Amino acid sequence: MHLSRYFMPILREPPKEAEIVSHQLMLRAGMIRQSAAGIYSWLPLGYRVLRKIEQIVRQEQDRAGAIELLMPTIQSADMWRESGRYDDYGKEMLRITDRHKRDLLFGPTAEEVITSIFRDGIKSYKELPRNLYNIQWKFRDEIRPRFGVMRGREFLMKDAYSFDLSKEASRLSYARMFAAYLRTFARMGLKAIPMAADTGPIGGDLSHEFIVLAKTGESQVFCHSDLLEIEVPAANTNFQGDLTEVMEQWIGAYAATEEMHDAKRFEAEVPKDKRVEARGIEVGHIFHFGTKYSEAMGARVQGPDGNLINLEMGSYGVGISRLVGAIIEAGHDDSGIIWPVSVAPFEVGLINLRVGDGATDSVCADIYAKLTGAGIEVLYDDTDERAGAKFSTMDLIGLPYQVVVGPKGVKDRQVELKDRKSGEKQTMSFEGVISRVIEDVQRNRILV
Ligand code: 5CA
């Protein structure tokens, strides 16, 4: 992509309305613009990151055997009356009336819709277990939308729903999603710790929130520091198998959100030097709630012995748009964002320091062609801005690698390669920089 033809409205000054660094940086880097309170447009740069996060989530859901579908944003109130949640959900639900005076709503979650689809579609217990997911916009009329995309009113969520014949089987489905989540967040460069959590309006008896530690997190959390060191399941993990052991390794040590925190237990179970008390961002939340919806909505099948059995269910959410903010909270410095390669909007920024100089232009064109030809995503700054402005824009938008080409170096067939994270700069030959960048990007695309 040539920057001269792109749309990336950078703000030089920190916007006043933004309280936390990720919100400030997303506005400054031209990733999002607010359209109404808690409702954002995703500008081209931000949208590329959102899509990459979505794709990682999708790949790990698919690996774990979940099946993608797409449900509507607008739902019928009748379904929610069937489950008994229509009145309970309260003011967070955006209620809509159509021209025929029928009650609709903008879905804050989709237990009702999926339960009705699955109920009508399943014929035999032999079709179990199944896990269905979608990646769709949700709306919750939050009292205090804040921190940009972290607590929006409209936000992108991956929501998966498991259906099983028995409690035991549904715990296996839960463990499978638990393990998939560990990989999902690690691939974005995040350490997300599963913590015992409150189930709130979704309901159920077993629930974990996946929490990224960050000073600006909305919840207070408590955990054993060993949890920060455990390795996540490898890519070749057998997701068809029983992943209870993986889950138990993580839930063996103390980790709880504020609502579930038990100070006595924390002190008894965790040695003083291992106690982590911090703020955290909830990037995912999984629930096992048994037959709460299947019973209310009549989602049952005939078991092997002919008896009707209510389906055991769980639901599994990932805050995809929130993750964009969380990744920035976890990776930035005074100059701007520091993206991990796996979710960077572009993998390389190519800076031409003398646009219009024949030799410099042609070296840039050549590097651009070779890198893009190798499948690397390059943002080429071919604008006529000053060098200083170009450097600060590249640092602000946080692309992992910067290749800087100027007329002086070109004479000696030299360019500079800068690593955004370490700040390290190296002078290299044209050929050297191309092979080095291709190799580094390819290696770092898949973190685990
Ligand atoms: N039905 C269940 C699981 S599919 C559910 O709705 N769970 S949830 O309420 O915990 O939401 C799932 C995830 O969506 C949360 O972990 C969080 O990361 C994200 N999320 C929730 N509310 C918001 C919001 N207002 N803004 C941005 N992300 C949100």
Side-chain angles (χ1 to χ4, degrees):
M1 177 60 63
H2 289 61
L3 188 55
S4 63
R5 291 174 227 148
Y6 201 43
F7 183 71
M8 197 174 81
I10 296 286
L11 304 177
R12 292 279 166 221
E13 294 305 316
K16 285 187 196 67
E17 71 268 29
E19 293 170 63
I20 60 169
V21 69
S22 57
H23 189 195
Q24 287 166 7
L25 289 171
M26 287 181 77
L27 290 168
R28 284 185 54 208
M31 293 177 65
I32 51 165
R33 284 295 178 265
Q34 182 172 298
S35 162
I39 303 176
Y40 291 88
S41 293
W42 290 81
L43 305 191
L45 196 76
Y47 189 44
R48 289 180 73 98
V49 178
L50 191 70
R51 281 191 352 233
K52 285 210 175 161
I53 294 175
E54 183 180 318
Q55 190 57 11
I56 291 177
V57 171
R58 177 176 287 120
Q59 284 169 357
E60 294 303 327
Q61 290 293 291
D62 293 349
R63 189 198 303 278
I67 309 158
E68 187 170 14
L69 78 170
L70 184 61
M71 292 180 272
T73 52
I74 307 290
Q75 305 178 7
S76 150
D78 287 341
M79 271 186 209
W80 286 67
R81 293 195 175 104
E82 233 185 300
S83 74
R85 275 208 296 184
Y86 189 61
D87 294 325
D88 295 355
Y89 216 93
K91 290 199 167 158
E92 259 191 28
M93 180 185 277
L94 181 65
R95 295 159 207 258
I96 305 165
T97 312
D98 72 8
R99 61 165 70 190
H100 304 294
K101 304 267 177 301
R102 278 190 282 254
D103 294 328
L104 300 171
L105 56 102
F106 197 123
T109 173
E111 279 80 2
E112 283 76 3
V113 181
I114 200 73
T115 305
S116 97
I117 293 173
F118 200 73
R119 169 192 68 194
D120 299 344
I122 184 170
K123 300 204 172 53
S124 151
Y125 71 92
K126 290 181 189 150
E127 293 166 59
L128 296 171
R130 288 290 184 275
N131 185 322
L132 298 171
Y133 76 97
N134 83 159
I135 296 175
Q136 178 61 291
W137 293 91
K138 304 289 188 288
F139 194 95
R140 293 183 186 171
D141 203 354
E142 302 274 353
I143 290 193
R144 254 196 96 198
R146 57 180 186 157
F147 300 161
V149 299
M150 293 271 231
R151 182 161 295 280
R153 292 199 296 167
E154 190 183 51
F155 59 97
L156 189 59
M157 191 203 281
K158 183 284 298 183
D159 38 325
Y161 303 88
S162 63
F163 298 90
D164 283 279
L165 197 60
S166 67
K167 231 188 180 67
E168 299 74 60
S170 94
R171 287 186 78 93
L172 294 179
S173 296
Y174 187 88
R176 195 167 292 136
M177 280 291 112
F178 190 106
Y181 275 37
L182 294 170
R183 283 193 52 75
T184 302
F185 300 123
R187 283 187 56 187
M188 300 169 194
L190 295 173
K191 267 191 203 296
I193 306 169
M195 304 202 177
D198 190 17
T199 54
I202 310 288
D205 57 4
L206 177 62
S207 169
H208 289 92
E209 281 178 17
F210 286 73
I211 302 274
V212 173
L213 302 184
K215 280 199 280 304
T216 47
E218 286 190 292
S219 15
Q220 182 72 17
V221 297
F222 306 82
C223 72
H224 194 302
S225 62
D226 284 359
L227 289 168
L228 293 161
E229 310 304 329
I230 308 179
E231 276 191 25
V232 307
N236 63 1
T237 301
N238 175 15
F239 273 91
Q240 309 327 311
D242 181 351
L243 293 166
T244 310
E245 244 176 58
V246 171
M247 179 164 94
E248 278 172 357
Q249 193 192 357
W250 288 81
I251 63 182
Y254 189 96
T257 59
E258 202 163 17
E259 300 82 32
M260 303 295 279
H261 181 54
D262 176 344
K264 278 210 184 95
R265 243 193 76 205
F266 187 47
E267 280 162 32
E269 288 178 20
V270 187
K272 211 167 188 170
D273 60 328
K274 298 264 180 180
R275 285 179 207 152
V276 178
E277 294 192 35
R279 305 294 294 176
I281 303 168
E282 176 201 324
V283 289
H285 197 163
I286 61 177
F287 305 82
H288 172 254
F289 45 69
T291 58
K292 175 173 167 172
Y293 299 92
S294 56
E295 237 177 287
M297 297 181 71
R300 49 183 77 97
V301 286
Q302 232 171 24
D305 55 5
N307 288 338
L308 279 177
I309 299 169
N310 289 315
L311 298 176
E312 290 281 337
M313 290 177 60
S315 76
Y316 313 87
V318 171
I320 293 186
S321 46
R322 175 178 289 182
L323 273 164
V324 182
I327 293 168
I328 297 174
E329 289 296 326
H332 65 268
D333 62 15
D334 290 345
S335 311
I337 304 168
I338 304 174
W339 294 114
V341 172
S342 60
V343 300
F346 294 91
E347 294 160 328
V348 177
L350 174 62
I351 302 180
N352 182 334
L353 290 179
R354 182 77 57 82
V355 175
D357 172 71
T360 314
D361 288 351
S362 95
V363 169
C364 285
D366 190 40
I367 295 176
Y368 183 80
K370 295 224 166 78
L371 289 178
T372 52
I376 308 289
E377 300 168 353
V378 184
L379 181 63
Y380 172 25
D381 188 345
D382 59 340
T383 64
D384 48 21
E385 285 276 351
R386 292 174 300 108
K390 290 192 175 196
F391 292 139
S392 62
T393 297
M394 269 309 166
D395 279 354
L396 173 64
I397 68 171
L399 310 184
Y401 301 97
Q402 298 173 10
V403 176
V404 184
V405 184
K408 266 201 233 120
V410 161
K411 277 200 216 106
D412 309 323
R413 299 187 61 78
Q414 299 276 300
V415 298
E416 191 177 79
L417 174 64
K418 175 173 158 182
D419 181 308
R420 174 67 183 88
K421 189 170 180 193
S422 65
E424 205 178 294
K425 293 177 188 167
Q426 260 179 288
T427 305
M428 304 179 84
S429 67
F430 303 163
E431 298 74 22
V433 89
I434 291 166
S435 54
R436 168 73 181 278
V437 164
I438 294 174
E439 198 180 294
D440 275 16
V441 167
Q442 286 174 346
R443 194 182 55 246
N444 287 318
R445 268 184 192 151
I446 304 276
L447 290 173
V448 288

